[in-house]
Amino acid sequence: MAKNNDDNDHDDDHGNTRLQEETMAGVRLDKITKVYPNGFQAVTDLSLELENGEFMVLVGPSGCGKSTALRMIAGLEDISGGDLYVGDRRVNDVAPKDRDIAMVFQNYALYPQMSVRDNIGFPLRLKKLAKPDRLEQVDGAARILELMAQLDKKPATLSGGQRQRVAMGRAIVRRPSAFLMDEPLSNLDAKLRVQMRAEIAAIQRDLGVTTFYVTHDQVEAMTMGDRVAVIKDGLLQQVAAPEDLYARPANVFVAAFIGSPSMNLYEGTITNAGDDYAVQLGDQSVNIPEHVVTSRDSLQGRIGEPLVVGIRPEDLEDATLDTSHPQDQRLRATIDVREALGAETLLHFGLRAPFVDSGDPDALAELGDDDVSRCTARCSPRSVAKVGESVELNIDAARFHFFDKSTHEALV
């Protein structure tokens, strides 16, 4: 990624450091609530604290309140309850233009009749900044974003990725305390989204500006954020570093929503005979190491009780590829769908164990029979399992997740 250049040979780092010093500020949401006049409560008691320079992603299914939260931070929606701080300043009643926040929209919001240079510099014109200073700052942003060759072009001649960078450039020149990004990559094709994810994350790291990024795409969330906040029905479910969110989901919804393919979830029970423990899933039983139970305080006293049991697709493997795996740590399955993806093969099958609804509205179309749970195994591309074939799948039995059946909270 290109860096900003001034007149001196070594001013790249100095320019970025100066921008960081001028713009860095934390953002704090203290029990932010949004209730519309018709009584609909879109966001409830949302509390988040973004540290200086942090990249936080707010992710959740369609209609969960994430964009409403972003718009309240920007000042585009009134706050019904709670307090919003930028740095040490409470900004609930501060006009959007005075909040020292720059927003990057989903549709870029570029002026088609203006050149790239004029689009990027537009906020500086509104501030009545002298033209030489304005041009210097525009050139600096264009170097960071690798847009120098496009400065005299109109938006219509640019690719989607270039237009997105122009929108970011317009935000950068404002030198705000924080960036807000509302699903900025949703209009791009899949390949360009992957490229732009990396570019936005790199630019944010270079600038060090506190960034609040909203998306419904959990892959974006996991690959871009320093921390990820998961929201459902206007309520915060969990906030953690991506790897912690994935390894230790707080509840069934987070477990299912984070990860692609989604975590396999079933209703099951833990049984034990002496020192031997097993997970009973329908008519099948899988032995598990003793420490899986004894290391979780909340599992004590739950032996024999119905629980929600989860296993990630990557913790299942075609047993023909590792015949040394213990026989009592396998599942029998009949393959319904096979997806050969090159680097991996996904095997889809049904397990005769009660279905668990994760609460993700976008997953409802995938519901099956209440007594059959739809499952996925992420296998090596060397797997030759065929549709309609009965196979055995090795389970990494130490990696089961357990949740309370009634509350859906994780048992840890």
Side-chain angles (χ1 to χ4, degrees):
M1 186 63 59
K3 299 287 196 303
N4 190 3
N5 292 313
D6 289 324
D7 293 333
N8 297 327
D9 291 340
H10 59 280
D11 272 355
D12 279 358
D13 293 337
H14 174 71
N16 280 348
T17 301
R18 184 176 66 239
L19 179 59
Q20 292 174 23
E21 290 172 348
E22 291 176 0
T23 62
M24 284 180 66
V27 176
R28 181 161 61 92
L29 289 67
D30 185 7
K31 296 185 177 179
I32 294 295
T33 295
K34 177 64 182 181
V35 182
Y36 286 99
N38 65 2
F40 175 68
Q41 190 152 330
V43 177
T44 304
D45 290 341
L46 180 60
S47 293
L48 290 169
E49 187 163 358
L50 285 72
E51 298 175 3
N52 286 348
E54 182 177 18
F55 194 129
M56 180 178 283
V57 180
L58 184 63
V59 65
S62 304
C64 69
K66 55 189 184 294
S67 289
T68 301
L70 192 81
R71 290 172 63 83
M72 284 193 286
I73 298 172
L76 303 178
E77 292 273 6
D78 291 334
I79 296 172
S80 305
D83 297 299
L84 172 65
Y85 296 88
V86 177
D88 296 326
R89 182 170 68 138
R90 184 180 181 274
V91 297
N92 288 45
D93 302 314
V94 175
K97 65 183 179 64
D98 298 324
R99 292 192 180 194
D100 197 21
I101 287 173
M103 189 160 179
V104 179
F105 293 95
Q106 179 178 341
N107 63 0
Y108 317 139
L110 302 180
Y111 296 102
Q113 74 277 17
M114 291 185 182
S115 67
V116 167
R117 177 180 282 105
D118 290 340
N119 264 285
I120 293 175
F122 189 71
L124 303 179
R125 284 184 59 189
L126 293 180
K127 288 183 176 180
K128 303 190 184 316
L129 192 69
K131 186 174 181 179
D133 293 335
R134 186 168 76 237
L135 293 178
E136 180 183 0
Q137 291 191 33
V138 169
D139 284 353
R143 289 190 186 97
I144 293 170
L145 296 163
E146 298 179 350
L147 287 171
M148 291 299 290
Q150 283 76 39
L151 282 175
D152 294 319
K153 297 180 180 179
K154 298 289 178 65
T157 67
L158 305 180
S159 69
Q162 289 170 333
R163 276 178 280 186
Q164 184 60 76
R165 285 193 297 240
V166 174
M168 289 187 65
R170 189 171 52 196
I172 287 170
V173 296
R174 291 182 57 186
R175 299 187 177 181
S177 293
F179 288 147
L180 305 180
M181 299 190 181
D182 189 9
E183 307 219 30
L185 307 184
S186 60
N187 291 334
L188 305 181
D189 62 52
K191 184 176 181 180
L192 192 51
R193 275 202 307 272
V194 173
Q195 177 185 336
M196 285 301 298
R197 283 203 307 257
E199 290 193 12
I200 288 176
I203 291 165
Q204 191 276 337
R205 281 195 303 271
D206 286 347
L207 297 177
V209 179
T210 307
T211 301
F212 196 64
Y213 185 106
V214 162
T215 181
H216 68 279
D217 185 337
Q218 53 92 18
V219 177
E220 271 184 33
M222 297 294 283
T223 55
M224 297 178 73
D226 297 322
R227 287 190 298 156
V228 178
V230 183
I231 189 173
K232 172 181 178 285
D233 298 332
L235 293 166
L236 182 66
Q237 303 295 304
Q238 186 176 1
V239 56
E243 55 272 21
D244 292 334
L245 203 67
Y246 189 81
R248 289 173 286 278
N251 55 43
V252 165
F253 175 78
V254 175
F257 189 79
I258 297 297
S260 181
S262 181
M263 181 185 287
N264 300 304
L265 294 165
Y266 331 94
E267 186 178 312
T269 58
I270 297 175
T271 63
N272 82 303
D275 293 331
D276 294 328
Y277 289 88
V279 174
Q280 190 71 36
L281 299 170
D283 60 354
Q284 300 194 55
S285 180
V286 178
N287 276 23
I288 56 175
E290 181 182 3
H291 72 83
V292 171
V293 178
T294 57
S295 65
R296 291 171 164 90
D297 291 339
S298 56
L299 279 183
Q300 307 306 313
R302 298 294 191 107
I303 306 303
E305 291 184 9
L307 304 172
V308 176
V309 180
I311 191 77
R312 294 273 182 204
E314 58 268 30
D315 296 325
L316 297 166
E317 181 58 276
D318 186 339
T320 62
L321 302 179
D322 180 9
T323 57
S324 66
H325 195 82
Q327 186 69 38
D328 58 12
Q329 294 182 6
R330 297 183 181 184
L331 278 181
R332 301 183 304 278
T334 299
I335 305 306
D336 297 324
V337 177
R338 169 191 167 93
E339 294 181 276
L341 303 178
E344 62 189 13
T345 295
L346 301 182
L347 302 178
H348 301 268
F349 60 98
L351 183 68
R352 192 154 292 283
F355 169 81
V356 175
D357 182 358
S358 70
D360 181 357
D362 295 337
L364 291 179
E366 300 178 7
L367 299 187
D369 189 314
D370 285 348
D371 293 325
V372 176
S373 298
R374 309 311 308 169
C375 311
T376 304
R378 174 181 268 146
C379 298
S380 163
R382 295 184 294 115
S383 172
V384 294
K386 297 179 175 58
V387 171
E389 186 176 32
S390 181
V391 301
E392 288 190 328
L393 297 169
N394 294 337
I395 294 185
D396 187 342
R399 298 183 66 81
F400 274 114
H401 296 258
F402 300 97
F403 307 88
D404 184 276
K405 182 186 175 184
S406 299
T407 67
H408 279 195
E409 295 298 311
L411 298 172
V412 295

